[in-house]
Structure formats: structure tokens, C-alpha cells
Amino acid sequence: MLGVPISLGTFANLDQEVSAAIQPAHQEALDAVRKADVKFADETSWKLWGKLCLLWAAATAGVVAFLIHAKRDKLGLKALLTETIDGIVHSDRWHVYLQVPEERRQLCWAHLKRDFQKIVDSGGPSGWVGRRGLRIVKELFVAWHAFQAGTITRAQLRELLGPIERRMSKTL
């Protein structure tokens, strides 16, 4: 890259030095997402020294914390968010997130939207479920964007979401 030769040993030493230097900031980021009222969590495969691991991530509006863990299981989620998970966790529907109580878990609407689109794309008699689901998702986001823009209040948003929730339940 810069044309400067560097030995593997020097690289490994620098890696350890940088890791130690950023450790306090990393811990601060972990603490912030763990304490946040709302956090987004996800994981993806990651290779560490040639071994397959998982890169776990938790994010808030202001901070993101990453953690490499050997497992894609409840131990990985525990390492990221601790044993007692506080606040609302926004995630996909992967089974490890079932350890978050239902009343504090928000499913990712982007995942739901993609699933409805897959139902439409597959054709067949269930296509109406996908099309209806996509309409409901669109309606939900129109209401959400109006709230974010300040054109409706939280109370008005709740009022709009009641019928949407009922239609979604009926559709599913």
C-alpha cells in the first residue's frame, strides 16, 4: 500500500497496541448501547485469523458498538448486550433474539417488507398476502414519516397505527 515492508510480528504487535489504546472507547460504546432505551442489534459472519466467527453490532442514534464472538447464539448476544438486556431491542426474527421479552422487542420492518415482496415474487395463491402486507408496510411508514416530520403528534400516530396493526394481524 505505502510500499513500506513490515514484518508479521511488527503487524501483530501494532494490532495489540491499537487494541489496547481503543479499549476504553470500545467499553464506553458498549456501555452506551447496553444502557440505551432503544438499540438495534444484528450479527454477521466474520473471519478472525482464518477462523469463522461472528461480528455482533448494537447501535443507537449516536453510537455503534461492535464485538467479535465465536458463536451465533445466546452467548454472543449476551456478550454484546449482557445477561439482562435493558430497553427495546430492534432486530430481525432470528431465534436468539427470542430471549428478549416480546414487549421489549421490535422486529425489523425492512425484513418484513422483503418477506412480503418474496411472497409476491413467488406467485401463486398467497400473493395477495404479500401485496396486502406491502400496502400495510407502506401505510405504516407514511404515518411514521409524518410523525418524524412533525406534521402529526405521537397521539395521532398511535391513532393511525391501531387500524394498521389490526389489518396486519388479520392478514397474517
Side-chain angles (χ1 to χ4, degrees), residues 6-120:
I6 185 169
S7 71
L8 289 177
T10 298
F11 183 82
N13 288 340
L14 290 172
D15 179 53
Q16 293 297 317
E17 192 175 319
V18 169
S19 293
I22 66 170
Q23 200 287 324
H26 180 251
Q27 189 60 52
E28 186 178 339
L30 279 172
D31 290 344
V33 296
R34 288 170 176 167
K35 292 175 186 172
D37 291 335
V38 178
K39 59 198 108 264
F40 299 80
D42 203 3
E43 73 296 322
T44 190
S45 57
W46 184 267
K47 284 205 174 178
L48 180 64
W49 304 106
K51 184 178 177 182
L52 186 61
C53 295
L54 276 294
L55 177 65
W56 288 83
T60 69
V63 66
V64 179
F66 296 97
L67 186 95
I68 298 173
H69 194 272
K71 301 289 183 183
R72 187 179 188 224
D73 61 10
K74 65 181 179 179
L75 295 176
L77 183 60
K78 178 181 166 184
L80 181 68
L81 297 178
T82 73
E83 181 79 40
T84 306
I85 300 171
D86 294 323
I88 295 172
V89 177
H90 184 234
S91 68
D92 59 21
R93 291 183 313 278
W94 185 51
H95 71 88
V96 78
Y97 296 107
L98 292 175
Q99 62 188 310
V100 178
E102 187 176 315
E103 67 274 7
R104 291 192 294 107
R105 185 165 173 233
Q106 170 64 54
L107 296 179
C108 174
W109 280 91
H111 281 85
L112 293 172
K113 182 179 177 184
R114 284 194 301 254
D115 290 344
F116 286 131
Q117 187 62 57
K118 285 178 190 175
I119 292 170
V120 170

